[in-house]
Amino acid sequence: MTCQKFFVALLHWAEFIYVITAFNFSYPITPWRFKLFCMPPNTTHDVVLPPGISKNTSDLNGQYEAAVEAKFNSSGTYFSNFSSKPTVHCCFWSEEDKNCSVHADNIEGKEFVSTVNSVVFQQIGANWNIQCWMKEDLKLFICYMESLFKNSVKNYDLKVHLLYVLPEVLEESPLLPQKGSFQLVQCNCSVHECYECRVPVPAAKLNYTLFMYLKITSAGVVFQSPLMSVQPINIVKPDPPLDLHMEITDSGHLKISWSSPTLLPFQLQYQVKYSENSTTSMRETDEIVSATSLLVGSVLPGSSYEVQVRGKRLDGPGVWSDWSNPLIFTTQDVIYFPPKILTTVGSNVSFHCIYKNENKIVSSKKIVWWMNLAEKIPQSQYNVVGDHVSKVTFPNVNATKPRGKFTYDAVYCCNEHECHHRYAELYVIDVNINISCETDGYLTKMTCRWSTNTIQSLVGSTLQMRYHRSSLYCSDVPSIHPTSEPKDCNLQRDGFYECVFQPIFLFSGYTMWIGINHSLGSLASPPTCVVPDSVVKPLPPPSVKAEITVKIGLLKISWEKPIFPENNLQFQIRYGLSGKEVQWKIHEVYDAKSRSASLPVPDLCTVYAAQVRCKRLDGLGYWSNWSSPAYTVVMDVKVPVRGPEFWRMIDENTTKKERNVTLLWKPLMKNDSLCSVRRYVVKHHTSRNGTWSEDVGNHTKFTFLWTEQAHTVTVLAVNSIGASLANFNLTFSWPMSKVNIVQSLSAYPLNSSCMILSWTLSPSDYNLMYFILEWKILNEDNEIKWLRIPSSVKKYYIHDHFIPIEKYQFSLYPIFTEGVGKPKTINSFTQDDIEKRQNDSGLYVLVPIIISSSTLLLGTLLISHQRMKKLFWEDVPNPKNCSWAQGLNFQKKMDIL
């Protein structure tokens, strides 16, 4: 039992010794360059050593011979078996460690080959500069090898391999890797005599210990480096800093700034080297800072500055990045800072200036400012920043007005007596861009539109929409969020940009603005916030129908509510007579539950077009598009308003005491028939035969035999709904045909298309309903023409085509309730009568003209008489005004003799 415990303890001790040996015999890779030095054993002649190492083997004796004599079990060795080729083991040397560290192993107990000629080392360049680092992306480990000898390999096939192993688990004291665990990577020659070995490192193993060694084969000789170990996270080499630039601060100092290339898991420190070259001095400076900017001394006009920056891990080991490209900054005799300003309307901007005149910097108190060399800027806008720095401020600036090719205002910094030709540029842009959005009726996407027509475009600028989506609704005051996303927009034919958000979050707040990017800076339009649910444009109402209601006579328009949105909706109807240009009338429907509306229209017998659209009842969002138009169909909606007006022609047979009566009427118009007439019905009534009806179809003429004392007829119009209710009656009575109340009738032609008729009546006890005026051409069997005239009218104008050479007969019939009275008939004037009337009318016009002219002539004579009297009798004195005539009576006769 005691022996077993001793054996277990011995195994643990052996394992501890093995672990210690692994670390003692692995070379830790440093964050700086080191050298791989190879030489044959017990040989010092003709071997070129690295600078700093003596050819005396005593310097290497302790480490080297120990390496030769070291013997390990082959199961624990990390070298491959290359028994067919002589193997040379090498050592590492660096500026920080002057000793050449050699750790080697005899391969499977065989002695180290020592018969290699040292001349081979000189010819193949067996000494190497090596630097290893982890790339900034933390994905690739790189070892870079460069030969110290410049007599390149010409006759030897040189191959370089890197063998490495990365443990599977993180251990505080990793064991020495086993023989078969190393992976082989071939190193490629990127440039002449230089090799680059690349090892991928998983992100999860950046803190693991990476074991590796180099194997170089050339001219039948294998060179093996000692075992190396490193944690990749400790030798990260950042990329050079980006965006290096210099600017002048408001106080006149030079500020150097840059940005870190990528986001690293640790902070960087930076080394800045810059030089200043002016007419008065020259200096170089090298500083290390942890910030991404450095403020140096005051800027001098007419000077040149050159700067470079590199970075390295701030805390812990790391590798310096390469230097950034040099940046040169040159100042002129007149320095403006900033030299150009891009800003928005309503902002306040300032320029600073340092003025140098004849190698002498002008005092800031003697500097004046001008705008476009045409307007001197008031001194109230000046500020003295320092002895040589002057500042001018422009408050609440207005948009720049283009002047030809110039889209900026030139700001000049001048001496009291002169202005330099250099100037600063001020660009002021109005960025009030209106962004309007609408959500489609299916609530699946939101389309936003904006136009740049309202702003002045700046050459070289790019526009881009940016937005930020909040989880719920919008804030009271929209603001530009620091974390935003760009949105692609397409230019449409109408000059608007269109951006589509899909999918959308209905109740999220989308804060959006237009970014204007230019080399001078970036601007942004005022932000606007939109909630997609508040800008919905619903789908048009479906199933729209239009009809004229039967027996009611209203235009009825019906529709259905669209599926989306689910909010209560208001509706708007527009309707009008169908045609090319519809004169629309609008009707509002605010009842969300309503699905139809009945509207009065003036004409029930025509085609109407109707459309419906909708919008949220709370006023949010937009009106939908109008629905497809619906049209009414012309059909009978009511019985005819009235029957037709009719008259008669009588053919009298005196021998039989019979009269044939032919009724004449005109077809009813649509407004009276509502909307068509299928047939006419003549209704008869007599005292002997009673009442009966006759269907005359669509004819407008009907003849019947009048045989009784009185015969009353009525003509009815019938459509698909029924017969007319209001109708005209006409009674034919033998006694009434002799009643004469029309005393006189006269006709006077106004022109060939108008005739005026007037008449007088005698008193009558009968109930006069209306008159029938009848006319025709005499001596011709033409159809008679007739008009129905109200009973109150005593004068009437007939509009017809009258032929002057013809004679016309006019008859006026009084129509009583009891029957048709006796007509008054006259003949119209002939053409001679018309000419005589026209001559008489000329006389009536001429007489007033003669009277007016005579009156005017008499007035002229009276005025002329007064003027002649004043002209000839002006010097004759009034006797009463003479002194000698005082007391004399001029009315009394006096005898002179």
Side-chain angles (χ1 to χ4, degrees):
M1 188 67 178
T2 304
C3 293
Q4 185 177 3
K5 290 182 178 179
F6 175 77
F7 183 72
V8 172
L10 184 61
L11 287 178
H12 283 291
W13 173 255
E15 182 179 354
F16 173 74
I17 294 299
Y18 177 79
V19 170
I20 297 299
T21 304
F23 275 97
N24 288 339
F25 285 89
S26 64
Y27 183 82
I29 296 179
T30 59
W32 48 80
R33 288 180 181 270
F34 57 92
K35 293 179 173 58
L36 177 65
F37 175 67
C38 303
M39 64 175 292
N42 300 326
T43 303
T44 59
H45 62 280
D46 296 332
V47 176
V48 180
L49 298 178
I53 298 183
S54 172
K55 290 186 179 182
N56 190 349
T57 56
S58 62
D59 295 340
L60 307 173
N61 191 33
Q63 296 86 352
Y64 194 82
E65 291 182 0
V68 175
E69 296 175 359
K71 295 180 180 180
F72 298 102
N73 190 305
S74 61
S75 63
T77 183
Y78 55 87
F79 293 113
S80 303
N81 184 6
F82 293 94
S83 59
S84 62
K85 295 182 181 180
T87 304
V88 177
H89 296 274
C90 308
C91 67
F92 289 124
W93 173 85
S94 66
E95 293 293 339
E96 288 73 14
D97 184 8
K98 299 296 183 179
N99 295 322
C100 191
S101 302
V102 180
H103 302 287
D105 170 26
N106 76 332
I107 303 174
E108 297 184 359
K110 296 182 181 180
E111 285 296 330
F112 167 75
V113 178
S114 59
T115 59
V116 182
N117 191 337
S118 61
V119 178
V120 175
F121 290 83
Q122 295 178 352
Q123 291 178 341
I124 67 174
N127 296 324
W128 304 79
N129 269 332
I130 301 177
Q131 185 178 18
C132 298
W133 68 87
M134 191 72 191
K135 284 198 70 175
E136 187 184 60
D137 59 6
L138 305 180
K139 294 180 180 179
L140 203 60
F141 178 83
I142 298 176
C143 279
Y144 183 79
M145 302 175 55
E146 180 183 7
S147 175
L148 287 173
F149 295 100
K150 298 306 177 183
N151 51 340
S152 60
V153 180
K154 299 179 180 179
N155 301 320
Y156 301 98
D157 183 15
L158 181 64
K159 293 182 180 180
V160 180
H161 293 85
L162 185 144
L163 291 90
Y164 73 96
V165 63
L166 195 60
E168 294 297 328
V169 295
L170 180 63
E171 300 176 355
E172 295 183 3
S173 301
L175 299 176
L176 192 68
Q178 297 296 322
K179 173 183 176 182
S181 61
F182 283 87
Q183 300 183 50
L184 182 72
V185 173
Q186 183 174 356
C187 305
N188 298 317
C189 183
S190 57
V191 293
H192 192 55
E193 299 181 357
C194 299
Y195 283 81
E196 190 175 86
C197 313
R198 294 172 173 255
V199 177
V201 178
K205 295 186 178 183
L206 291 174
N207 292 319
Y208 289 24
T209 300
L210 173 67
F211 291 97
M212 63 182 179
Y213 67 92
L214 292 167
K215 179 173 68 71
I216 306 168
T217 305
S218 181
V221 180
V222 177
F223 300 90
Q224 289 186 166
S225 73
L227 182 66
M228 296 175 280
S229 63
V230 69
Q231 286 182 309
I233 194 65
N234 291 334
I235 56 171
V236 175
K237 181 181 180 181
D239 290 339
L242 302 175
D243 302 326
L244 179 63
H245 66 281
M246 288 180 277
E247 60 182 350
I248 304 174
T249 64
D250 293 349
S251 58
H253 292 83
L254 181 64
K255 182 181 180 181
I256 307 170
S257 57
W258 58 91
S259 60
S260 179
T262 56
L263 295 176
L264 291 169
F266 45 77
Q267 190 177 356
L268 297 180
Q269 58 179 321
Y270 302 94
Q271 184 178 10
V272 184
K273 63 178 182 180
Y274 67 94
S275 61
E276 175 187 332
N277 186 7
S278 65
T279 56
T280 58
S281 63
M282 182 176 181
R283 60 171 179 156
E284 292 185 359
T285 307
D286 192 336
E287 296 189 31
I288 294 180
V289 295
S290 59
T292 57
S293 63
L294 176 64
L295 194 65
V296 297
S298 300
V299 176
L300 298 177
S303 301
S304 176
Y305 301 86
E306 182 175 349
V307 65
Q308 283 182 285
V309 184
R310 65 177 182 174
K312 175 188 172 184
R313 184 174 179 176
L314 177 62
D315 299 321
V319 180
W320 281 108
S321 71
D322 295 331
W323 287 103
S324 65
N325 293 327
L327 177 65
I328 299 176
F329 182 74
T330 303
T331 60
Q332 305 295 331
D333 290 341
V334 178
I335 303 176
Y336 294 94
F337 47 100
K340 300 177 182 181
I341 292 181
L342 174 64
T343 188
T344 60
V345 171
S347 58
N348 301 331
V349 295
S350 298
F351 286 97
H352 297 76
C353 170
I354 302 176
Y355 196 105
K356 180 181 178 182
N357 186 21
E358 297 180 356
N359 295 327
K360 183 179 179 182
I361 299 178
V362 178
S363 172
S364 58
K365 296 181 180 180
K366 297 182 178 181
I367 291 178
V368 294
W369 294 83
W370 286 77
M371 177 73 78
N372 298 321
L373 284 182
E375 178 186 355
K376 186 177 181 181
I377 302 171
Q379 291 188 354
S380 59
Q381 297 177 219
Y382 300 176
N383 285 300
V384 176
V385 179
D387 294 339
H388 304 292
V389 180
S390 177
K391 174 184 176 182
V392 64
T393 301
F394 299 95
N396 193 22
V397 291
N398 297 319
T400 304
K401 296 180 180 179
R403 296 174 293 110
K405 297 181 180 180
F406 300 97
T407 58
Y408 55 83
D409 286 320
V411 180
Y412 287 85
C413 169
C414 305
N415 194 356
E416 286 182 334
H417 307 292
E418 62 179 349
C419 286
H420 198 275
H421 67 276
R422 297 189 179 277
Y423 53 84
E425 299 175 7
L426 176 60
Y427 299 82
V428 183
I429 298 179
D430 186 355
V431 294
N432 288 315
I433 301 176
N434 180 38
I435 303 175
S436 60
C437 301
E438 70 176 42
T439 303
D440 72 324
Y442 295 102
L443 308 181
T444 58
K445 65 179 181 179
M446 180 172 68
T447 303
C448 296
R449 289 167 55 86
W450 51 277
S451 173
T452 59
N453 294 336
T454 58
I455 67 171
Q456 175 191 343
S457 60
L458 189 62
V459 177
S461 62
T462 59
L463 304 178
Q464 185 178 54
M465 172 182 276
R466 302 195 68 88
Y467 75 98
H468 172 76
R469 184 180 68 85
S470 59
S471 58
L472 197 64
Y473 297 109
C474 292
S475 60
D476 293 336
V477 181
S479 59
I480 294 178
H481 202 274
T483 57
S484 62
E485 299 181 35
K487 189 64 182 177
D488 293 333
C489 303
N490 298 319
L491 181 61
Q492 306 299 309
R493 291 184 177 180
D494 57 1
F496 280 79
Y497 286 88
E498 191 171 280
C499 325
V500 178
F501 293 83
Q502 189 176 20
I504 56 175
F505 298 85
L506 272 181
F507 300 101
S508 292
Y510 289 78
T511 302
M512 56 190 73
W513 61 92
I514 305 301
I516 303 175
N517 301 315
H518 192 266
S519 59
L520 299 178
S522 298
L523 303 176
S525 66
T528 181
C529 188
V530 178
V531 177
D533 181 66
S534 300
V535 292
V536 175
K537 182 177 182 179
L539 296 172
S543 305
V544 177
K545 298 178 181 179
E547 61 177 346
I548 302 295
T549 54
V550 178
K551 296 185 179 181
I552 300 176
L554 295 176
L555 173 61
K556 182 181 179 181
I557 303 166
S558 60
W559 62 88
E560 297 292 335
K561 181 181 181 295
I563 301 176
F564 299 109
E566 297 180 355
N567 310 75
N568 290 330
L569 300 178
Q570 58 179 312
F571 300 92
Q572 194 175 70
I573 302 171
R574 70 175 184 180
Y575 63 98
L577 294 176
S578 178
K580 292 183 178 180
E581 296 182 1
V582 181
Q583 300 296 321
W584 296 106
K585 293 183 179 180
I586 303 296
H587 179 73
E588 305 284 348
V589 179
Y590 295 103
D591 185 3
K593 297 181 180 179
S594 180
R595 297 294 179 268
S596 66
S598 296
L599 308 171
V601 288
D603 189 354
L604 300 179
C605 300
T606 188
V607 178
Y608 285 90
Q611 292 178 289
V612 185
R613 64 178 182 176
C614 58
K615 181 184 178 182
R616 282 178 55 168
L617 188 59
D618 55 12
L620 296 177
Y622 300 92
W623 284 104
S624 71
N625 291 330
W626 289 104
S627 65
S628 298
Y631 299 94
T632 61
V633 177
V634 177
M635 56 185 297
D636 295 336
V637 294
K638 289 183 179 181
V639 296
V641 176
R642 60 178 180 83
E645 296 180 357
F646 63 94
W647 185 231
R648 90 294 180 271
M649 290 191 303
I650 298 177
D651 184 11
E652 186 175 356
N653 188 343
T654 56
T655 58
K656 296 182 178 181
K657 295 183 180 182
E658 293 179 352
R659 296 180 181 180
N660 289 321
V661 178
T662 301
L663 301 180
L664 307 171
W665 63 86
K666 300 174 183 177
L668 279 182
M669 303 299 292
K670 288 191 299 181
N671 292 341
D672 293 328
S673 60
L674 297 178
C675 293
S676 64
V677 175
R678 293 191 174 186
R679 67 183 189 276
Y680 296 98
V681 174
V682 177
K683 188 176 181 180
H684 301 266
H685 178 76
T686 64
S687 59
R688 182 185 302 174
N689 296 326
T691 303
W692 73 97
S693 298
E694 294 183 76
D695 191 338
V696 299
N698 287 325
H699 299 289
T700 57
K701 181 186 296 187
F702 176 72
T703 302
F704 67 93
L705 185 63
W706 174 21
T707 60
E708 298 191 22
Q709 188 87 11
H711 191 130
T712 302
V713 294
T714 304
V715 180
L716 290 76
V718 181
N719 63 11
S720 61
I721 306 298
S724 57
L725 298 178
N727 301 291
F728 294 96
N729 300 322
L730 193 61
T731 299
F732 302 99
S733 172
W734 290 95
M736 292 301 299
S737 63
K738 298 178 181 180
V739 175
N740 183 15
I741 65 169
V742 181
Q743 291 185 348
S744 66
L745 176 65
S746 59
Y748 182 80
L750 295 181
N751 50 46
S752 61
S753 61
C754 183
M755 184 81 69
I756 182 172
L757 279 88
S758 62
W759 58 87
T760 60
L761 302 178
S762 61
S764 173
D765 295 333
Y766 297 99
N767 183 20
L768 180 63
M769 294 191 299
Y770 54 89
F771 296 101
I772 293 294
L773 179 62
E774 180 184 288
W775 72 94
K776 65 178 181 178
I777 300 177
L778 286 177
N779 305 323
E780 288 187 12
D781 294 333
N782 291 339
E783 245 182 64
I784 64 171
K785 297 181 181 180
W786 58 275
L787 284 173
R788 183 172 175 268
I789 301 174
S791 60
S792 59
V793 174
K794 300 296 188 295
K795 182 189 297 183
Y796 197 81
Y797 292 87
I798 302 176
H799 297 278
D800 195 6
H801 180 65
F802 295 100
I803 303 175
I805 63 175
E806 297 290 347
K807 281 192 175 183
Y808 290 86
Q809 184 182 72
F810 296 92
S811 300
L812 184 66
Y813 291 83
I815 309 299
F816 303 101
T817 307
E818 296 80 3
V820 179
K822 184 178 181 180
K824 182 69 174 179
T825 303
I826 63 170
N827 294 332
S828 174
F829 301 102
T830 62
Q831 180 66 23
D832 295 337
D833 297 333
I834 295 175
E835 292 177 357
K836 180 179 179 181
R837 298 280 181 168
Q838 289 177 348
N839 294 333
D840 293 344
S841 63
L843 180 62
Y844 294 147
V845 173
L846 184 60
V847 169
I849 295 176
I850 294 174
I851 295 174
S852 300
S853 301
S854 301
T855 304
L856 182 61
L857 180 60
L858 180 60
T860 304
L861 291 174
L862 291 175
I863 294 173
S864 301
H865 173 71
Q866 294 295 328
R867 289 186 176 180
M868 291 295 292
K869 183 178 180 181
K870 289 183 179 181
L871 178 63
F872 292 100
W873 298 99
E874 183 177 2
D875 296 333
V876 176
N878 188 350
K880 294 182 179 180
N881 295 331
C882 298
S883 58
W884 57 267
Q886 296 297 325
L888 295 180
N889 185 3
F890 289 93
Q891 299 295 331
K892 184 179 179 181
K893 291 184 178 180
M894 295 182 65
D895 295 333
I896 301 177
L897 296 175

